[in-house]
């Protein structure tokens, strides 16, 4: 009986499989130019791909915590990759998607609930926090593989734009998540190495860390420095600002088709 329950709690959720299916079908529509509205197809591809990456991000936290000693992870359903199982669906899924639509930023969301008292060893605590943003790094590397492998020229243009924009979201999410700000994964990496007094002083500010980061990004000078760093990383992966720009332009299908030579409106 216990084995049957364990298998059910590890089985991939139909909700996640549905998201992957939407990503695959919309990606096919963009690749083949099948959709009468390429912008809407790009929108579906990017949003579904972004939510899939959020699920994988949280799964990485959960899986690492399970191996670190928190056996309660299984019963919470986190290993099913079902976004509805997260403790804060609005913070983990809804809010990040809204940020993507509003500003084209992969802002990190909430996290799975990990019973930290079950984890032994500071390195394990740090690894659990780092596992999520490292997943975004790997996802970005996979999405940009055609670019840094020199095969981007074989990829249909609009699909290439969509890949570039989705990869940019992964890069922004990784950078922001690794910031040593209370409430974000970067702080979770260093927290086990801080003194008990410092951790106790910082703890009350953790719920406001994400809002503080979002507010600071609205400062033009900070925003410029941040996106200069993102562009530098994207260039290192073989992606140009031209490609990410048009990826976002197609994503915003409600503004109309972007004016680009060779692309049908």
């Amino acid at each position: 009986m216990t084995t049957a329950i364990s298998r059910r709690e590890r089985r991939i959720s139909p909700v996640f499989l549905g998201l992957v299916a939407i990503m695959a079908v919309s990606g096919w529509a963009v690749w083949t130019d099948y959709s009468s509205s390429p912008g809407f197809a790009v929108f579906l591809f990017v949003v579904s791909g972004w939510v899939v990456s959020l699920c994988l991000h949280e799964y990485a936290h959960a899986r690492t915590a399970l191996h670190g000693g928190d056996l309660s992870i299984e019963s919470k359903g986190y290993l099913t990759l079902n976004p509805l199982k997260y403790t804060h669906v609005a913070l983990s899924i809804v809010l990040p998607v809204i940020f993507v639509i509003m500003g084209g930023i992969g802002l990190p969301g909430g996290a799975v609930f990990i019973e930290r008292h079950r984890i032994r060893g500071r390195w394990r605590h740090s690894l659990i926090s780092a596992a999520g943003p490292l997943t975004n790094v790997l996802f970005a590397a996979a999405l940009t593989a055609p670019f840094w492998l020199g095969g981007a020229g074989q990829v249909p243009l609009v699909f290439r734009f969509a890949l570039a924009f989705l990869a940019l979201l992964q890069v922004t999410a990784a950078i922001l998540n690794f910031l040593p700000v209370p409430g974000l994964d970067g702080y979770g990496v260093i927290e086990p190495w801080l003194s008990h007094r410092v951790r106790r002083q910082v703890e009350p500010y953790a719920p406001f860390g994400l809002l503080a980061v979002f507010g600071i990004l609205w400062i033009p000078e900070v925003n410029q420095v941040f996106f200069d760093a993102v562009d530098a990383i994207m260039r290192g992966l073989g992606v140009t600002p031209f490609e990410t720009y048009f990826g976002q332009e197609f994503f915003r299908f409600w503004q109309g088709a972007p004016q680009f030579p060779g692309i049908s409106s």
Side-chain angles (χ1 to χ4, degrees), residues 206-264:
F208 309 104
L210 182 62
L211 294 176
V213 169
F214 182 63
I216 291 173
L217 281 175
W218 279 98
I219 301 174
E221 293 79 9
V222 175
N223 188 276
Q224 183 65 47
V225 171
F226 174 73
F227 276 103
D228 283 346
V230 172
D231 284 342
I233 294 173
M234 295 299 289
R235 285 181 183 276
L237 292 170
V239 183
T240 66
F242 173 85
E243 288 161 322
T244 55
Y245 169 79
F246 275 100
Q248 186 172 12
E249 288 297 294
F250 274 98
F251 173 82
R252 295 173 172 171
F253 70 94
W254 55 89
Q255 296 180 353
Q259 299 301 311
F260 183 80
I263 300 296
S264 171

Side-chain angles (χ1 to χ4, degrees), residues 7-235:
R7 287 177 180 173
R8 184 172 68 247
E9 290 165 346
R10 291 170 180 255
R11 189 177 301 154
I12 297 178
S13 163
V15 177
F16 180 76
L17 293 176
L19 290 169
V20 173
I22 293 172
M23 182 181 178
V25 172
S26 57
W28 170 82
V30 177
W31 181 284
T32 61
D33 197 26
Y34 179 81
S35 174
S36 59
S37 174
F40 182 65
V42 168
F43 176 83
L44 286 179
F45 175 73
V46 171
V47 170
S48 59
W50 174 235
V51 178
V52 165
S53 75
L54 291 174
C55 293
L56 293 173
H57 176 111
E58 303 298 351
Y59 175 84
H61 284 309
R63 189 78 190 193
T64 311
L66 177 68
H67 291 292
D70 184 4
L71 301 182
S72 70
I73 290 296
E74 274 193 300
S75 62
K76 294 184 177 77
Y78 296 153
L79 301 182
T80 65
L81 288 160
N82 185 352
L84 302 179
K85 294 290 185 180
Y86 300 151
T87 51
H88 299 290
V89 176
L91 288 177
S92 295
I93 302 296
V94 178
L95 202 57
V97 169
I98 291 175
F99 283 136
V100 169
I101 294 173
M102 289 177 56
I105 298 177
L107 201 64
V112 295
F113 177 71
I114 296 170
E115 298 184 19
R116 290 281 182 170
H117 65 278
R118 297 175 180 266
I119 311 297
R120 295 290 179 265
R122 290 183 292 183
W123 281 108
R124 289 181 178 178
H125 281 282
S126 295
L127 182 58
I128 290 168
S129 295
L134 285 176
T135 302
N136 294 110
V137 172
L138 292 175
F139 204 17
L143 290 169
T144 56
F147 298 89
W148 51 264
L149 288 175
Q154 307 302 316
V155 178
L157 200 57
V158 179
F159 188 80
R160 195 166 83 207
F161 294 156
L163 280 182
F165 182 53
L166 183 54
L168 178 136
L169 297 179
Q170 303 304 317
V171 170
T172 58
I175 293 175
L176 293 172
N177 262 300
F178 271 128
L179 292 177
V181 175
L184 299 181
D185 292 327
Y187 177 75
V189 172
I190 67 172
E191 183 182 21
W193 307 90
L194 302 176
S195 67
H196 179 70
R197 180 179 62 84
V198 171
R199 282 184 284 172
R200 188 174 56 187
Q201 290 176 339
V202 171
E203 187 176 1
Y205 300 100
F208 309 104
L210 182 62
L211 294 176
V213 169
F214 182 63
I216 291 173
L217 281 175
W218 279 98
I219 301 174
E221 293 79 9
V222 175
N223 188 276
Q224 183 65 47
V225 171
F226 174 73
F227 276 103
D228 283 346
V230 172
D231 284 342
I233 294 173
M234 295 299 289
R235 285 181 183 276

